[in-house]
Amino acid sequence: GAVVSQHPSWVICKSGTSVKIECRSLDFQATTMFWYRQFPKQSLMLMATSNEGSKATYEQGVEKDKFLINHASLTLSTLTVTSAHPEDSSFYICSARDGQNPAYEQYFGPGTRLTVT
Amino acid sequence: EDQVTQSPEALRLQEGESSSLNCSYTVSGLRGLFWYRQDPGKGPEFLFTLYSAGEEKEKERLKATLTKKESFLHITAPKPEDSATYLCAPGGSNYKLTFGKGTLLTVNP
């Protein structure tokens, strides 16, 4: 149980283009999903929290117009990196929390490696 | 501001050599202390949640313990397949987790 998938697992795009990453909870309803970014040899940094049907809450320093988050259903959240630049190259990981479980555990997807050339 | 410090940053053990990893934290309104394992190029894998001081949880060769300011992950007789980065994360308000930098564990055969 508690499986989270991400697609794609890796993507290469040219500078100035946009990239969409999908995060799905496969066997539970995720009322809350989180998006993290991880640079090499660094820990996970929370970018934003999204609740189904409402606007995402972004962490300080994260540009909401650049990182568009949509949590349209209880099993799907998307992160769109708009006008990507080489400095956006990173490992993006989503996590999801089971809305029917009062516990605080977050279950993570396998991550998406983004390379902007 | 919530803070997490993990030590050591890296730990190299021989197979069968037991040790402990430390996680010190400062968080307002702790809502659980979480341990995850992360393999290179993959997302974190959930290991344990501890909610109150004195609580202990075990899974195979791993045992996690919690005090008011620290958590320990004890590894008993580790095997090479236990090699990974171990992350701790206290949970705060709005279900947010604050991750430490992790301990990179290498177990040599």
Side-chain angles (χ1 to χ4, degrees):
Chain A
V3 179
V4 177
S5 69
Q6 274 185 250
H7 178 78
S9 55
W10 60 270
V11 58
I12 301 172
C13 71
K14 292 187 176 181
S15 185
T17 61
S18 296
V19 174
K20 180 184 284 188
I21 302 170
E22 291 186 349
C23 176
R24 294 182 184 272
S25 57
L26 299 185
D27 52 2
F28 64 98
Q29 294 185 330
T31 51
T32 307
M33 286 185 167
F34 304 84
W35 286 94
Y36 295 81
R37 182 167 49 182
Q38 186 175 35
F39 292 106
K41 299 190 184 300
Q42 300 287 321
S43 192
L44 283 77
M45 296 300 295
L46 180 65
M47 299 175 65
T49 303
S50 73
N51 291 292
E52 185 264 338
S54 61
K55 290 184 178 181
T57 301
Y58 291 81
E59 294 300 300
Q60 193 171 9
V62 178
E63 300 174 59
K64 63 180 180 181
D65 294 330
K66 180 171 186 60
F67 299 99
L68 302 180
I69 292 172
N70 187 312
H71 191 163
S73 77
L74 287 172
T75 59
L76 174 64
S77 177
T78 60
L79 168 67
T80 301
V81 183
T82 62
S83 187
H85 291 284
E87 56 266 30
D88 297 323
S89 298
S90 187
F91 192 49
Y92 291 86
I93 313 173
C94 72
S95 71
R97 183 184 159 269
D98 185 345
Q100 296 194 340
N101 184 345
Y104 275 62
E105 286 93 3
Q106 292 179 25
Y107 297 94
F108 285 81
T112 297
R113 174 76 57 193
L114 170 64
T115 302
V116 185
T117 61
Chain B
E1 183 179 328
D2 298 346
Q3 293 188 338
V4 184
T5 302
Q6 289 190 246
S7 62
E9 290 185 7
L11 179 62
R12 189 177 295 272
L13 301 173
Q14 288 298 123
E15 185 173 1
E17 179 186 3
S18 302
S19 189
S20 295
L21 313 182
N22 175 264
C23 172
S24 298
Y25 63 91
T26 303
V27 64
S28 55
L30 181 71
R31 291 171 174 80
L33 187 291
F34 300 82
W35 282 96
Y36 288 86
R37 167 192 172 130
Q38 185 176 28
D39 292 302
K42 296 188 177 180
E45 173 190 348
F46 173 74
L47 293 175
F48 304 108
T49 310
L50 302 166
Y51 284 104
S52 56
E55 188 175 359
E56 298 183 353
K57 287 190 176 176
E58 291 188 59
K59 179 180 180 180
E60 295 182 355
R61 296 175 292 281
L62 301 176
K63 183 171 78 172
T65 62
L66 182 66
T67 70
K68 286 187 176 180
K69 294 185 178 181
E70 291 180 304
S71 180
F72 294 91
L73 184 65
H74 308 277
I75 302 176
T76 302
K79 297 182 178 181
E81 53 263 41
D82 295 323
S83 297
T85 296
Y86 291 85
L87 302 167
C88 85
S93 61
N94 297 323
Y95 303 105
K96 291 183 182 180
L97 301 182
T98 301
F99 280 87
K101 292 184 177 181
T103 293
L104 174 61
L105 174 66
T106 304
V107 181
N108 295 316

